[in-house]
Amino acid sequence: MAGSDDILDQLFQRLAHEFQKVEKEINARQKDIKHQLKQVSRMREAVMAEKRQLHDESRALEMQQAEMEENVAELSALRSEMNGSTAGGGGGATPPKKGGWCCCGKSDKNGELDVTGALTVARVDALQAIRLYGAGSADVNGVYQKVTEGGETFFEKADGKAVQYRYQEEFGTPNGWYVADSVQGGAMYMNLHEDETTLPFAGFQVITDECVTMGGIPGDPPAPKIEPQDC
């Protein structure tokens, strides 16, 4: 009987030893698996970061290319206009009449537009329509027609977006020109231009202050540029 108990004790000891051995192996494998999972997670994060960087670089290149194409087109139009003015400047030519910048004879731009190698600013009363281009928020780009309502003049796009001068005492925002999702609506871009009678063609910036957006969604960079548009 004693011999049987000894055999059972030995068996239990062997089983306990094997269980401990197996448990150690399982723990070691679990640690190894966790280590491998961490490595995979870090690799995945690195790949995603690289993917985002490539996406951002690709988007930036596309926007730069679009802006370059717009600039080339603008320079080409200016060159053609200047060549045409030179060709028609002989004796007997009728001097251009001052007037609106649309639908009729070209106005005297030197009197109505600041021309210093590129159009930089224009009198609002010399414009009938403008075109926004190069904005990171693509729905901002397009043609805006001049509208005068209730003594206020602004430019409005077919989908309701507007380019509007806003005063601090009225809107609680700094004086300047704003690109907004609608007249009186949330602002997307701004240009702190102090003169409401002239419209700058460049220098707009993305609005990052929620108080200035008036509840609107800020536009995506880059900010748009503006050029006069024949209606």
Side-chain angles (χ1 to χ4, degrees), residues 51-71 134-136 221-222:
K51 182 179 179 181
R52 287 193 296 268
Q53 182 179 357
L54 289 174
H55 175 74
D56 293 342
E57 291 177 355
S58 176
R59 184 179 178 187
L61 288 173
E62 290 175 358
M63 290 189 292
Q64 289 177 3
Q65 182 178 358
E67 186 173 354
M68 288 179 62
E69 291 175 354
E70 294 286 354
N71 291 337

Side-chain angles (χ1 to χ4, degrees), residues 82-105:
M82 292 174 66
N83 290 340
S85 298
T86 303
T94 303
K97 297 180 180 180
K98 292 186 177 181
W101 177 263
C102 182
C103 301
C104 53

Side-chain angles (χ1 to χ4, degrees), residues 17-215:
H17 177 73
E18 291 297 329
F19 276 128
Q20 290 177 356
K21 182 178 179 182
V22 170
E23 187 176 5
K24 288 181 180 179
E25 290 179 355
I26 291 173
N27 290 336
R29 289 180 182 178
Q30 288 178 340
K31 290 181 180 179
D32 185 55
I33 291 172
K34 289 180 180 179
H35 178 69
Q36 292 181 8
L37 287 174
K38 288 182 180 179
Q39 287 184 325
V40 171
S41 178
R42 285 195 292 266
M43 291 175 62
R44 182 177 181 275
E45 291 176 357
V47 170
M48 293 300 295
E50 185 175 356
K51 182 179 179 181
R52 287 193 296 268
Q53 182 179 357
L54 289 174
H55 175 74
D56 293 342
E57 291 177 355
S58 176
R59 184 179 178 187
L61 288 173
E62 290 175 358
M63 290 189 292
Q64 289 177 3
Q65 182 178 358
E67 186 173 354
M68 288 179 62
E69 291 175 354
E70 294 286 354
N71 291 337
V72 169
E74 183 178 350
L75 288 173
S76 178
L78 286 172
R79 187 179 296 110
S80 299
E81 185 176 328
M82 292 174 66
N83 290 340
S85 298
T86 303
T94 303
K97 297 180 180 180
K98 292 186 177 181
W101 177 263
C102 182
C103 301
C104 53
K106 296 291 183 181
S107 62
D108 181 1
K109 299 180 189 62
N110 287 329
E112 298 177 346
L113 302 175
D114 177 13
V115 182
T116 56
L119 303 181
T120 59
V121 65
R123 290 210 322 262
V124 173
D125 59 6
L127 299 167
Q128 291 301 322
I130 58 175
R131 186 175 76 91
L132 272 65
Y133 63 94
S137 295
D139 56 343
V140 167
N141 299 325
V143 177
Y144 293 65
Q145 300 291 337
K146 185 165 72 173
V147 178
T148 301
E149 290 181 356
E152 180 184 4
T153 298
F154 55 89
F155 297 87
E156 189 173 30
K157 194 163 166 269
D159 63 1
K161 289 183 177 57
V163 177
Q164 176 186 32
Y165 195 89
R166 296 184 174 182
Y167 300 90
Q168 184 173 6
E169 57 268 22
E170 180 179 359
F171 290 90
T173 59
N175 291 350
W177 284 96
Y178 289 79
V179 180
D181 54 23
S182 65
V183 178
Q184 314 293 336
M188 303 172 70
Y189 304 96
M190 68 179 179
N191 187 319
L192 302 183
H193 189 69
E194 289 295 333
D195 183 8
E196 73 275 14
T197 66
T198 58
L199 175 66
F201 290 157
F204 282 81
Q205 55 186 302
V206 177
I207 299 175
T208 56
D209 189 340
E210 292 182 359
C211 296
V212 180
T213 62
M214 297 176 57

